[in-house]
Amino acid sequence: GKVGTLARMLATTLAWALPDGSKIHSTKLTSSAELSPAATLASAKAIDNYTITVRRELHRIPELLYDLQRTSAYVREKLDELGIAYQYPVAKEGIVATIGSGKEPCVGLRADMDALPIHEEVECPFRSRTDGKMHACGHDAHTAMLLGAARLLQERFAAGQLHGTVKLLFQPAEEGGAGGLAMRLAGVLEDAPRIGRLFALHVWPGLPSGVVASRAGTIMAAAGFYHAEFVGHGGHAAMPHTTVDPFMCVAAALQGLQTVISRNLAPVEAGVVSTTFVHGGSAYNIIPGRVELGGTIRSLSKEGYRFLHEKVEAVLRGAAALGGCSVNATLSSIEEDCLTAAVTPPGAPGPCTFPPTANAEAGHTTVRRAAEALVGAESFVEVEPTMGGEDFAYLLAHRPGAMAFLGIGNRSLGTDVNLHNGRFQMDEGQLHLGAALHVELATRALAELTAGDAAGCAEGEAGPTCAEGTYLEAED
Ligand SMILES: [Zn+2]
Ligand SMILES: [Zn+2]
């Protein structure tokens, strides 16, 4: 941190050499033309080597959840090179870097850093060095784009082109560890200067490369799990009448769970109940004593989630009763704080239920304007919500802002393979756009907060406009 501050002072007067051979120029350019979206895009393109190199180096060293020692050290090394001060540790291996005056207005930009327990099936020079772990959700790209943006924002602040503060939130444990909640509980939203607006990007293979997408209101779902152990009475398969077969209960549950959406939820409402595993039995001639089943529940609202939760639980209990089993059912609750949730069954999507990710109207408008300025109105998409979950929700529930998707789908490059797949690949040609979008979002949001934009909800207070579509928790 201290070294970083000193280096930042030096960087304002010197051209700072970076390991990739490029330099930070400290030329004092204050003309507004230098802040034009075209200039932002060009400067992001000019450091493409840097951003791509960072992404590849991170891709080689995937780490899981909160165990991000190498990843976090790498990011801190990059911040030191850039002369950017930071706070560490935050939520174990998380980092909060600060660029600018240290005064309000303050805009937060978030990147997640963790990888997945997936074996990488792509052969490339920078392939994962750890079998069974892979950056298959693009969080290496998120971190690289934010470091690229950090470099550009640092230049803008040094040149006196921006006023206020940008905080970079490098978050651990997005993939099921509620790292976003851990960051919030560590105080990242309350520490001075107080973040007034908050943004995050996610690379998106389902959208064509070059497209930016977002929406006002809920963009990603509340996501939780159910797990049931049906206990019967095992025995010889040749004498089934002497057993209580737990498979009969599982069969009833599988069928019954299918009716939760199709026969309970209004047809125009969105919801998911997907059974994702059944475990039980080991021999041709034994009826097992117990069989397990589990899956995920998704909804776009907390109310919707509560409804599905209740129906799924009723089906599990009903199925047990039908087959004469007893059932140990565990369902994650939307009311429960993830970090205190006691149970994490194997294969559960997370230790608890992620809330819906809801974009504030004001945050969405900033994203739309920034994207249209960078890629043109024809390449900005008002996207339908996805039933995927995202723990940025924990931060976004407390500050107006938005999550946006960056299209990376390009069939000829093979980058249209979905997230969480061993053959997922990044269209690195889009990294500069992600970095530019971060810079543009920060620049615009700082200006909006300074101007006290009517829909701006300065100081993080949610006004009537901002509250719409967000899920503000009572304790904040
Ligand atoms: Zn993911
Ligand atoms: Zn992700």
Side-chain angles (χ1 to χ4, degrees):
K2 280 176 188 158
V3 177
T5 311
L6 179 62
R8 184 175 53 192
M9 288 162 65
L10 284 170
T12 59
T13 48
L14 301 169
W16 187 261
L18 289 157
D20 65 347
S22 54
K23 287 173 193 294
I24 292 175
H25 296 285
S26 62
T27 30
K28 302 275 179 196
L29 296 167
T30 47
S31 76
S32 61
E34 289 304 315
L35 290 181
S36 73
T40 305
L41 210 49
S43 58
K45 191 73 193 154
I47 61 159
D48 224 9
N49 260 342
Y50 175 81
T51 318
I52 291 173
T53 301
V54 167
R55 184 260 158 177
R56 290 183 176 189
E57 288 180 355
L58 288 170
H59 194 80
R60 285 194 188 97
I61 54 162
E63 294 174 297
L64 306 183
L65 292 168
Y66 289 95
D67 296 326
L68 304 178
Q69 285 77 12
R70 294 181 69 190
T71 305
S72 175
Y74 179 85
V75 171
R76 282 177 275 126
E77 187 188 307
K78 294 290 131 188
L79 291 169
D80 285 336
E81 284 169 12
L82 294 172
I84 294 173
Y86 54 81
Q87 189 191 343
Y88 167 84
V90 180
K92 299 195 175 132
E93 294 297 333
I95 303 160
V96 178
T98 304
I99 312 175
S101 66
K103 297 195 176 95
E104 292 176 11
C106 176
V107 172
L109 303 172
R110 171 275 208 172
D112 38 14
M113 300 189 288
D114 57 322
L116 285 158
I118 291 178
H119 184 77
E120 180 156 20
E121 292 169 40
V122 180
E123 276 306 329
C124 63
F126 47 91
R127 155 178 215 284
S128 167
R129 285 183 186 156
T130 311
D131 282 348
K133 292 182 191 174
M134 178 194 177
H135 268 293
C137 203
H139 298 184
D140 50 345
H142 300 169
T143 303
M145 294 187 302
L146 193 55
L147 281 168
R151 204 174 141 174
L152 301 176
L153 286 165
Q154 174 82 330
E155 287 180 53
R156 287 194 172 185
F157 276 109
Q161 295 168 324
L162 286 180
H163 302 284
T165 305
V166 175
K167 285 189 183 176
L168 314 173
L169 311 180
F170 294 97
Q171 183 210 299
E174 194 286 323
E175 300 287 0
L181 177 60
M183 293 284 277
R184 200 187 85 206
L185 296 177
V188 301
L189 294 181
E190 299 309 320
D191 290 346
R194 202 166 179 267
I195 290 173
R197 289 279 184 89
L198 197 56
F199 299 94
L201 303 180
H202 206 300
V203 296
W204 213 254
L207 288 164
S209 289
V211 159
V212 177
S214 191
R215 66 181 276 109
T218 300
I219 186 165
M220 296 182 82
F225 70 86
Y226 55 92
H227 181 263
E229 182 191 38
F230 292 96
V231 183
H233 183 78
H236 203 302
M239 297 152 216
H241 62 292
T242 66
T243 72
V244 175
D245 184 350
F247 278 118
M248 295 307 107
C249 301
V250 167
L254 281 170
Q255 295 285 5
L257 290 169
Q258 285 305 310
T259 68
V260 171
I261 300 297
S262 68
R263 288 296 174 271
N264 290 278
L265 201 65
V268 294
E269 301 259 318
V272 170
V273 174
S274 289
T275 299
T276 52
F277 65 86
V278 172
H279 295 151
S282 57
Y284 293 102
N285 58 356
I286 302 169
I287 290 171
R290 55 190 67 217
V291 179
E292 285 174 75
L293 161 162
T296 182
I297 302 173
R298 311 275 169 132
S299 173
L300 294 176
S301 70
K302 282 190 170 183
E303 301 69 39
Y305 190 91
R306 281 184 202 110
F307 176 79
L308 296 179
H309 177 284
E310 193 180 297
K311 294 290 175 194
V312 167
E313 188 166 19
V315 166
L316 294 173
R317 299 206 183 283
L322 199 64
C325 302
S326 62
V327 61
N328 301 314
T330 311
L331 292 90
S332 64
S333 159
I334 193 118
E335 326 299 341
E336 202 171 356
D337 245 357
C338 275
L339 292 181
T340 57
V343 195
T344 311
C352 55
T353 304
F354 285 2
T357 305
N359 288 345
E361 193 77 48
H364 171 65
T365 303
T366 310
V367 167
R368 182 173 50 75
R369 288 180 183 154
E372 287 180 355
L374 288 172
V375 297
E378 67 284 358
S379 293
F380 177 74
V381 174
E382 294 278 350
V383 77
E384 290 297 310
T386 155
M387 300 310 280
E390 164 62 63
D391 84 351
F392 186 51
Y394 286 112
L395 297 166
L396 215 46
H398 292 258
R399 284 295 183 283
M403 157 144 265
F405 300 147
L406 181 70
I408 58 162
N410 181 333
R411 182 149 296 175
S412 64
L413 296 176
T415 59
D416 58 343
V417 176
N418 213 344
L419 303 168
H420 292 213
N421 184 304
R423 279 174 292 147
F424 170 80
Q425 290 191 77
M426 180 65 204
D427 176 0
E428 292 180 328
Q430 305 308 313
L431 289 174
H432 77 283
L433 178 55
L437 193 54
H438 273 307
V439 172
E440 194 67 22
L441 286 170
T443 303
R444 282 170 185 266
L446 282 174
E448 286 160 10
L449 288 170
T450 302
D453 185 334
C457 307
E459 307 300 314
E461 295 303 327
T465 314
C466 288
E468 197 180 344
T470 65
Y471 293 82
L472 296 159
E473 310 284 357
E475 76 257 30
D476 199 8

